[in-house]
Amino acid sequence: MQADSIDLAQASSSPALDSDESDGEAPRRIKNRQTKKRRIMPNDSSDSELAPVKPRSKRGILKVLVEMPLDVLFEIFGMLEPLDLLYLARSTKDIRAILMNRSSISIWRRSRSNIPDMPECPDDLSEPQYANLAFAKNCYFCDKNLSTNRIIWSARLRTCTKCLHTNFIRMHEEWIQSRKYPEALAFWIPTIVVSERSGRSADSFALRSLDRLWKDEYSNIDDDRKKLKWLARKVKERKVISAHADKCSSWFEDYKEELDKRRVVFIDERKAVIVKLVKRLGWGEELARMSEDKPQDQPNVVRACRKELTSRVLSNLEPVLDEYMAAAKSQRLEQEYRTCLEEREPILREAYEEYVASTFAADAVYPTAGELLFDSAVEDCIQKTPTADFTKELLHTTMRSAFPTIAQKWKENNDGKLRELIAEACGPEYVFNPHTVLHLATTFFSCSSCGQCRDSFQYPRVLMHSCSKWAGYSYWSPDAHTRIIGYVLNDGHWNRSKVISFKKESLQLMTHVVRMCGFDPATTTARKMDEVAPIIECVSCNDVREGRATMSWKAVIEHQRTTHKKDGKNEMKLEVLNEPESTGVKEQMNKLEGRRRADERYLDMACAHCKKTGNTVDLAKHVKKEHGKQHPTSDDIVPILDRDHTPPLYWLWPPREDEEPTQDVQPDSVSSHSPFLKYHPRRRGSRGSRGFVITDSGSSS
């Protein structure tokens, strides 16, 4: 049984070729497509100068061939390959008449001799049919030129995958034994083995038309002796065809391998032309730096090199090559800068931390190390300084001269961003003074990323908030400089990730609180409110078992968010404690806050001299030992700026007798057509804003 194999996953591109019925192929339908031409009227207003120039007609250009002497013509044709003769035979009727004449068989044989080791033409095929089978590309059934078309030599045809399933029969285990003609002949039927894409299974298919023909012929013979003769003749024919098919299959594999080698040589020669073009475009130096992914190896360039590189093709490739080389150079410079920054990042970090510790106070605001690299002086120091000269002392010198200007510009720029956040959230109805709005007691900003800190905080802490410094989307920035700094230093432009925002609801709430304390919300600053330090009571949270819920003025937003807005039980009513009660609550809050800051696990304080972090007890010992101050004060141990130092909720005892609120909160700052939000308490017994609540006795839970 003669079997060819085909893998459905294989794909190879090949040029198209028309087919002829007389070349041993299936008839081809030719659609007559006529393009409509626009009729030009005498009064047509179109500009005739813009009309394209009509190309010179090539009709009759092959006519001169048939006018040559036959011996000269035969000599020329004999130097061509069989596929070229097929193309010529399909060009004009006169040339076809010459090449398809039996007297021209010598031309086809000589042409076939130009193909090394090609088997002789078999008796069951003519020379044109043999040439078409071996070198054409179309399917014999649908006439389509597909990359999956394969030759079945024993069947003397070529088929695509779709037509294979239509014109071939799937062979089961007992297929040969189940034929209506002798098994000895069924063994020689042309077959093809098809492997599935997964490669796990393969099926054999037999030629349907030949199976049907043999069945009909065999059934039409009545005499047993004639059947034996018919069987012997058919088996003999198939053996000859099978032997020739084996030779053709072996030759064709070698022929394709040789074609691939020749194609590689041609492509390499044309790639050399591409290299010259790249150098002529001014990219010679960049090309010399490239060790891989060179322009001549790109798929679109290789595709162009498969054909002749005409001046038009090269002209079309110029912008493609320019764009590719520009991108390659940009990528190289980006990688070089990233490598340089990765190597020098430890020294940069050390110099930056030493400079910040010696220059800025613990509660000061200043840019990150990544922000420094957006300054040209610092960037040049990092990128252009030779390795031998790059030291921490050099960075210190550069920072001393550039850092003050960088910090000032950084602060001014981010202050502007904060004002924009306020304006976007509140709209034109909120008119504010841009010089003082950031310092107002009503201005609180929110972080949507950080889950450990409180929801809202004020200026200038918002500038130093850790979440605002996160590189975030810098990793996907189109700017290479920003992207590299994000990768290496994990720093980016302030609030690039858009986690800092301003909420109109917070403004409305704090406007009510400030006005309730007797101050003007439009001018009262946070510092003024801290000096007065009013104590606010949430009457709605009065608890007969816990006491009265009191808090500092800054804690109102957090209390509203975690207690009322979250659980949604009832509305929030606020009152300002009177002076005697307020003084007592503040004393208790200060005591409890002092105890909390002395806890050995507390790390939200810092040494004002060296920025060492810790609790007040350990830092006091540190200041005495390291800085020689025997009596450390609040000027020596300061709160870290990006920490929440608001005292937790304080439960004042005894509770109110009237537990239910009698009136809803309606902020005076909100007009009648824009009602203030209603606030609701959390469930009774839940924890406070920092994970615990404080009772009057000083215990925490």
Side-chain angles (χ1 to χ4, degrees):
M1 178 170 57
Q2 178 65 26
D4 294 281
S5 64
I6 177 173
D7 190 342
L8 292 180
Q10 291 179 347
S12 59
S13 58
S14 57
L17 179 66
D18 293 339
S19 60
D20 293 300
E21 185 177 2
S22 60
D23 294 339
E25 306 174 38
R28 179 169 55 93
R29 297 193 187 101
I30 302 177
K31 293 184 179 180
N32 214 359
R33 297 181 180 177
Q34 295 181 352
T35 57
K36 295 183 179 180
K37 297 183 179 180
R38 186 171 66 90
R39 183 179 181 184
I40 302 178
M41 304 301 294
N43 59 348
D44 196 340
S45 60
S46 61
D47 191 352
S48 60
E49 294 182 359
L50 297 179
V53 179
K54 185 177 181 180
R56 182 179 178 182
S57 176
K58 296 183 179 181
R59 290 178 63 87
I61 197 170
L62 296 176
K63 186 177 180 181
V64 294
L65 282 177
V66 297
E67 297 175 354
M68 292 182 179
L70 285 180
D71 55 345
V72 176
L73 193 61
F74 279 28
E75 186 69 22
I76 295 174
F77 287 169
M79 299 176 67
L80 302 177
E81 293 187 355
L83 184 60
D84 300 324
L85 291 182
L86 284 175
Y87 281 129
L88 276 174
R90 294 162 182 169
S91 59
T92 68
K93 291 182 179 180
D94 293 334
I95 296 179
R96 183 178 184 82
I98 295 174
L99 291 176
M100 293 303 170
N101 195 296
R102 289 189 176 273
S103 62
S104 301
I105 191 172
S106 60
I107 300 176
W108 291 92
R109 289 175 178 172
R110 184 176 176 184
S111 174
R112 180 164 45 81
S113 67
N114 295 329
I115 306 299
D117 302 325
M118 185 176 182
E120 292 295 325
C121 179
D123 296 337
D124 58 310
L125 294 177
S126 66
E127 287 285 354
Q129 289 175 334
Y130 187 37
N132 183 72
L133 176 64
F135 302 107
K137 302 298 179 182
N138 62 302
C139 172
Y140 274 35
F141 301 102
C142 66
D143 203 34
K144 292 182 179 179
N145 291 294
L146 302 176
S147 60
T148 53
N149 290 358
R150 291 293 297 271
I151 302 173
I152 306 177
W153 293 99
S154 59
R156 305 307 197 201
L157 57 82
R158 186 185 307 104
T159 181
C160 64
T161 304
K162 182 178 180 181
C163 294
L164 185 149
H165 291 284
T166 305
N167 296 279
F168 283 73
I169 310 171
R170 187 185 300 271
M171 302 174 65
H172 51 79
E173 294 182 358
E174 299 181 357
W175 187 88
I176 294 179
Q177 294 80 6
S178 63
R179 298 299 90 196
K180 298 297 180 64
Y181 47 85
E183 181 179 336
L185 180 59
F187 178 82
W188 293 100
I189 194 168
T191 60
I192 183 170
V193 179
V194 180
S195 300
E196 298 297 334
R197 290 184 181 272
S198 62
R200 297 179 179 177
S201 61
D203 295 319
S204 296
F205 293 82
L207 185 60
R208 185 188 301 273
S209 59
L210 190 58
D211 176 67
R212 186 183 296 114
L213 177 63
W214 286 352
K215 182 180 67 173
D216 294 342
E217 289 183 357
Y218 189 76
S219 61
N220 291 332
I221 301 175
D222 298 331
D223 191 305
D224 292 342
R225 297 180 62 182
K226 290 182 179 180
K227 285 185 176 181
L228 292 176
K229 290 182 179 180
W230 176 86
L231 175 61
R233 185 177 72 255
K234 291 295 182 181
V235 170
K236 182 179 179 181
E237 291 174 358
R238 294 312 306 174
K239 285 183 177 180
V240 173
I241 293 176
S242 178
H244 183 267
D246 290 340
K247 293 180 182 179
C248 290
S249 180
S250 177
W251 160 80
F252 193 66
E253 293 298 322
D254 296 338
Y255 175 71
K256 287 195 300 181
E257 184 177 349
E258 182 62 27
L259 283 182
D260 291 339
K261 292 179 180 179
R262 289 165 56 185
R263 189 179 294 111
V264 169
V265 173
F266 290 149
I267 291 177
D268 288 343
E269 292 175 352
R270 291 162 183 167
K271 283 183 179 180
V273 178
I274 298 297
V275 171
K276 293 181 180 179
L277 176 60
V278 172
K279 293 180 178 179
R280 183 167 60 82
L281 293 174
W283 296 104
E285 182 178 352
E286 186 64 28
L287 183 62
R289 293 173 177 266
M290 301 177 71
S291 58
E292 56 184 13
D293 294 332
K294 297 183 178 181
Q296 65 269 26
D297 298 327
Q298 299 312 302
N300 53 347
V301 177
V302 174
R303 196 178 303 114
C305 290
R306 291 172 182 168
K307 300 179 181 179
E308 183 180 358
L309 292 178
T310 62
S311 57
R312 181 177 180 180
V313 173
L314 294 176
S315 177
N316 292 336
L317 283 176
E318 286 185 5
V320 177
L321 294 172
D322 264 327
E323 181 181 357
Y324 179 80
M325 293 303 296
K329 182 178 181 180
S330 176
Q331 186 176 4
R332 176 182 62 82
L333 293 175
E334 179 179 346
Q335 183 59 42
E336 289 178 356
Y337 180 48
R338 179 174 178 177
T339 302
C340 174
L341 191 58
E342 286 175 343
E343 294 174 351
R344 301 183 175 187
E345 186 264 344
I347 299 178
L348 172 63
R349 286 285 189 191
E350 186 177 356
Y352 169 81
E353 292 172 0
E354 290 181 0
Y355 179 83
V356 168
S358 62
T359 307
F360 295 98
D363 56 352
V365 294
Y366 46 85
T368 62
E371 294 274 5
L372 297 181
L373 296 178
F374 291 101
D375 180 76
S376 58
V378 179
E379 181 187 7
D380 290 345
C381 179
I382 296 289
Q383 192 172 5
K384 297 181 179 180
T385 305
T387 303
D389 300 331
F390 186 78
T391 60
K392 184 170 61 176
E393 289 71 22
L394 176 65
L395 279 176
H396 276 308
T397 303
T398 304
M399 288 182 183
R400 278 193 294 269
S401 60
F403 208 123
T405 304
I406 296 172
Q408 181 64 26
K409 291 182 179 179
W410 172 82
K411 184 176 180 298
E412 292 175 355
N413 182 45
N414 293 333
D415 285 354
K417 292 180 180 179
L418 290 173
R419 296 186 191 99
E420 291 176 0
L421 291 177
I422 297 173
E424 291 174 1
C426 299
E429 62 270 14
Y430 180 53
V431 181
F432 57 83
N433 185 342
H435 301 291
T436 61
V437 66
L438 297 180
H439 302 277
L440 294 180
T442 57
T443 302
F444 279 77
F445 297 92
S446 300
C447 174
S448 61
S449 175
C450 186
Q452 296 179 352
C453 65
R454 296 201 179 194
D455 181 60
S456 299
F457 37 81
Q458 292 185 292
Y459 183 89
R461 179 191 169 190
V462 65
L463 293 179
M464 296 299 291
H465 185 51
S466 57
C467 298
S468 67
K469 307 173 188 178
W470 179 57
Y473 296 108
S474 298
Y475 302 147
W476 299 277
S477 172
D479 178 55
H481 196 190
T482 302
R483 193 166 56 248
I484 293 171
I485 293 173
Y487 276 128
V488 179
L489 298 178
N490 198 28
D491 284 342
H493 285 300
W494 182 86
N495 199 29
R496 181 175 179 84
S497 302
K498 307 296 183 184
V499 297
I500 304 299
S501 63
F502 185 85
K503 295 181 179 180
K504 187 176 180 179
E505 294 85 354
S506 299
L507 173 65
Q508 293 173 335
L509 174 60
M510 297 312 298
T511 297
H512 170 70
V513 170
V514 172
R515 184 172 286 122
M516 188 174 60
C517 295
F519 299 103
D520 182 6
T523 58
T524 304
T525 64
R527 177 175 295 182
K528 177 65 175 177
M529 292 292 289
D530 286 338
E531 291 174 356
V532 178
I535 300 299
I536 311 297
E537 178 187 359
C538 178
V539 180
S540 306
C541 289
N542 181 65
D543 193 309
V544 295
R545 292 180 176 81
E546 295 284 350
R548 297 160 63 186
T550 63
M551 68 201 79
S552 66
W553 71 276
K554 288 183 178 180
V556 173
I557 290 183
E558 178 66 7
H559 176 69
Q560 174 263 332
R561 182 182 70 88
T562 59
T563 304
H564 293 270
K565 193 174 182 180
K566 182 178 179 181
D567 290 345
K569 283 191 175 180
N570 65 347
E571 299 159 350
M572 183 173 73
K573 180 181 179 181
L574 301 177
E575 288 186 3
V576 181
L577 290 188
N578 56 35
E579 185 64 27
E581 289 182 329
S582 175
T583 302
V585 170
K586 282 189 281 189
E587 290 179 357
Q588 293 298 324
M589 283 185 175
N590 291 336
K591 290 179 181 179
L592 295 171
E593 184 66 12
R595 182 182 300 169
R596 186 164 68 99
R597 292 182 177 184
D599 191 283
E600 61 180 358
R601 296 167 295 180
Y602 193 82
L603 300 174
D604 291 352
M605 304 298 288
C607 173
H609 307 286
C610 63
K611 296 184 176 59
K612 175 182 173 63
T613 61
N615 56 70
T616 53
V617 175
D618 294 338
L619 288 177
K621 296 177 181 179
H622 163 79
V623 171
K624 292 178 182 179
K625 180 179 179 181
E626 300 296 334
H627 303 290
K629 298 224 174 175
Q630 298 303 317
H631 302 286
T633 65
S634 59
D635 294 331
D636 299 308
I637 304 173
V638 297
I640 297 176
L641 182 59
D642 187 26
R643 298 292 189 275
D644 182 23
H645 300 283
T646 305
L649 195 69
Y650 180 81
W651 295 96
L652 179 62
W653 192 265
R656 287 176 177 265
E657 294 180 1
D658 184 9
E659 191 176 346
E660 295 297 330
T662 58
Q663 184 179 355
D664 299 345
V665 173
Q666 292 291 339
D668 301 335
S669 61
V670 184
S671 60
S672 58
H673 64 272
S674 178
F676 194 70
L677 295 178
K678 296 181 179 179
Y679 303 93
H680 307 281
R682 61 187 172 181
R683 63 180 177 84
R684 187 165 299 168
S686 62
R687 293 186 177 270
S689 59
R690 290 186 60 84
F692 54 90
V693 295
I694 299 177
T695 65
D696 190 30
S697 61
S699 62
S700 60
S701 61

